[in-house]
Structure formats: C-alpha cells, structure tokens
Amino acid sequence: MSERNCVVAVDVGNSAVKLCVRRGEEKKVGDALGDKSVAAELAQLSVPICENAWHLRATRWVRDQVRCEHSHWLIASVHQPAAQTLQHAIDAMSVDSDMQMTVASVSRRDVPMNVRVDQPDRLGVDRLLSAYGARNQFGSPVTVVDAGSAVTIDWVNDEGDFCGGAILPGLRMQANALAYGTDALPEIDWKVGGSQSENPATVAGTNTVDAIRLGLITAVTAAIDRLSVAYANSGAGSKAQSKLVLTGGDAATISPFVQQPHEVVPNLVCRGLLDLPRS
Ligand SMILES: Nc1ncnc2c1ncn2[C@@H]1O[C@H](COP(=O)(O)OP(=O)(O)O)[C@@H](O)[C@H]1O
Ligand SMILES: CC(C)(COP(=O)(O)O)[C@@H](O)C(=O)NCCC(=O)O
Ligand SMILES: [K+]
C-alpha cells in the first residue's frame, strides 16, 4: 500500500482492542443508507488487553500493514485506561517513524445518526458505531447485537434512528460469575464442544458443565431472539422487513443457536468508524 493518507479504525472494548485498515482503493460511503461498499477488503486484528504489551502488538501491526505518508487514527473507546495506553504507544511510535500520525477520539457527536435515548452522552460509542455500520450495510429497521464483554441488543428503527436496547453480561462474564459466586461450580469454557456438541441449546444438560453451557448460551440467544422480534413488532406497520446483525468476539459462537435469520459481521464498530464522513 503506498497511498498518501490512510485511516486506522480502532475499537477499544473492555476485553480487546480491535483494529481495521482498509486495503487498496478507499470507497466513499458517507451516510448513504444501504450502501454495501463497506465490504471492501479489510485487514483486521483483535488484541486482548489482558495480554502483556498488547499496545505494542497493536501499533506494530499497524506499522506493518500500512505504508502511507499520513495515518489518521480514529479511536472509539469504552475503556479509558486502555485508550490512554494506546495513545501513548501511538505517540511513541510516531517519534521513530517516517509516517505522520494524527489521532482523533470519536464521540457520539461524530456519528451522523439520531439518538433517541435519555442521556445520549452516557451511551457507549461502540453501540452507536455498530448500529451505524449495520444501518449502512443492511438498511433499517435493524437489531444490532454486539456479543463482547457485555452483550448489547440494540434497535435502529424505520427512520434509521438509534433507539437504545438491552445490556446483559457477556458469556465470559456469566461463566466467571457462576464460578466466583458458588463453591461447587467450575469455570467452564463456554465455547460449544465437549460431550454435548450436537446442540446445547435444545438438549437438557446431564452434567454440571453441560448444564452451565446450556444456561449461558440460552440466556444470550433467547434474549436476542425475543428482543429482535419484540423490537420489530414495536415498529408495526413498518414498510421494510427488520434485519438482525451479530458482531463481537462471541458472535460466531452464538450464531448457530440464534433462531431468527441473521448475519454475522466481524468488527462492526470498526466498519462504522471507516464509514464516517471525512471532516
Ligand atoms: N481469544 C479470545 N480472547 C478474548 N476473548 C475472547 C477470545 N475468544 C473469544 N472471546 C470472547 O470474546 C469476548 C470479547 O469480545 P470482544 O468483542 O472482543 O469484547 P469487547 O468489545 O468487550 O472488548 C469475551 O468475553 C470472550 O467471551
Ligand atoms: C455496554 C458496554 C459496556 C459494552 O462494552 P463492550 O462489551 O463492547 O466492551 C459499553 O457500550 C458501555 O460502557 N456503555 C455505556 C453505557 C451505555 O451504553 O448505556
Ligand atoms: K459489547
């Protein structure tokens, strides 16, 4: 890649930092509803923030991926200490690098989407950006699920407005909570597998691990199925059929057990960042 300018999209979550850079020709997406050009090839990386020197892995990856004169980093964060650590690593890298770097912290005001919640400034910018990315790719109405540290199940109405949603603990957090809050329960690997790999969402667990796995998967997927239908019904009379989109570190794990038709799109927050109109 030898462009003059490139954009580095960064989603700082509570478990991991996700980075995306678009390879090759950039496409202008702006705010065009239904535009599918976001499917352009992306280089993507997820670095768990529990990993030693995660910030160095992140910045080195970007240095190796992009060969441009000026990189503009768009950072959306719901974890301020991690965002600060990353900012310092970017500053340090820019001292030793030929590449010019600028960094912008993205807030909800940068996202061209109406927000219908009680306190918009308290809304996680990741929720808004994944909704924005989903709306750009699939149109509205759409239910957007981000299955990460927390699972968010959000609603974008017929008019394309962000209307809030639900927040529940993510799979790892639920697994931790059971192990932490009891004497007898082990901390399980919630990923599908083990003795009940055929379909843990329909067969009663006949041992502790399978029972926990069934509980966790059902808690998350039943919430998704129920709320996506309820949201769509709340927009009764809507002209367009409602869609359902999953993203986040656990999206692929839960997808086989979500009954409603849906799409899995990796790194929707970063895709939303790359879609933002340029100032
Ligand atoms: N290798 C992994 N490292 C960390 N989390 C993982 C990994 N594989 C799957 N996960 C799951 O992904 C979730 C984190 O998803 P992610 O979307 O990165 O979260 P966040 O946006 O909160 O940082 C964890 O809660 C865990 O359940
Ligand atoms: C709900 C979240 C914790 C999800 O974070 P994540 O799982 O992506 O790390 C985050 O969007 C957040 O801190 N939100 C602030 C509260 C709100 O959105 O209402
Ligand atoms: K999330």
Side-chain angles (χ1 to χ4, degrees):
M1 202 184 292
S2 59
E3 298 144 66
R4 279 176 66 79
N5 300 304
C6 54
V7 174
V8 181
V10 189
D11 165 19
V12 181
N14 288 284
S15 297
V17 171
K18 278 72 64 181
L19 301 104
C20 285
V21 293
R22 192 171 273 142
R23 288 175 170 286
E25 185 125 334
E26 272 195 41
K27 296 186 181 169
K28 198 171 167 61
V29 176
D31 196 20
L33 299 187
D35 191 324
K36 292 198 194 291
S37 60
V38 284
E41 195 202 340
L42 294 180
Q44 316 179 35
L45 177 74
S46 174
V47 189
I49 60 177
C50 60
E51 191 177 293
N52 265 341
W54 63 266
H55 52 292
L56 297 181
R57 180 141 89 91
T59 48
R60 282 174 190 153
W61 180 83
V62 172
R63 186 193 57 199
D64 295 343
Q65 286 296 322
V66 298
R67 296 264 176 277
C68 51
E69 290 168 32
H70 174 229
S71 67
H72 186 52
W73 296 59
L74 292 176
I75 302 184
S77 169
V78 293
H79 191 297
Q80 290 323 316
Q84 231 169 32
T85 300
L86 182 65
Q87 171 79 57
H88 290 149
I90 298 167
D91 291 346
M93 184 169 74
S94 74
V95 171
D96 307 329
S97 166
D98 294 337
M99 190 176 9
Q100 286 184 324
M101 292 181 216
T102 50
V103 180
S105 172
V106 172
S107 81
R108 62 126 182 141
R109 288 173 207 283
D110 299 311
V111 185
M113 193 168 191
N114 285 333
V115 173
R116 298 188 187 209
V117 300
D118 301 338
Q119 295 179 296
D121 288 334
R122 297 246 174 120
L123 175 65
V125 71
D126 58 340
R127 296 173 63 193
L128 187 59
L129 281 161
S130 55
Y132 178 66
R135 187 187 76 177
N136 289 337
Q137 196 169 348
F138 300 100
S140 60
V142 59
T143 296
V144 186
V145 175
D146 188 337
S149 310
V151 176
T152 51
I153 307 172
D154 290 328
W155 174 238
V156 177
N157 72 5
D158 235 15
E159 284 92 55
D161 298 344
F162 182 92
C163 298
I167 303 174
L168 57 152
L171 289 178
R172 171 171 291 172
M173 208 182 279
Q174 293 190 34
N176 287 344
L178 284 177
Y180 181 77
T182 65
D183 183 36
L185 296 185
E187 184 160 346
I188 69 150
D189 180 357
W190 62 95
K191 290 198 185 64
V192 180
S195 59
Q196 220 196 14
S197 54
E198 69 276 18
N199 191 342
T202 55
V203 181
T206 52
N207 59 67
T208 307
V209 170
D210 283 350
I212 294 173
R213 190 176 286 131
L214 176 65
L216 303 193
I217 295 279
T218 306
V220 170
T221 58
I224 293 167
D225 282 323
R226 177 162 164 168
L227 289 176
S228 60
V229 171
Y231 295 160
N233 287 340
S234 74
S238 147
K239 292 165 276 335
Q241 166 116 33
S242 178
K243 282 139 304 238
L244 173 59
V245 182
L246 313 185
T247 193
D250 285 318
T253 301
I254 61 176
S255 169
F257 309 108
V258 173
Q259 290 172 2
Q260 296 299 314
H262 60 275
E263 303 273 350
V264 176
V265 182
N267 290 321
L268 206 36
V269 176
C270 286
R271 287 165 194 265
L273 283 169
L274 292 171
D275 284 355
L276 289 177
R278 298 295 147 74
S279 50

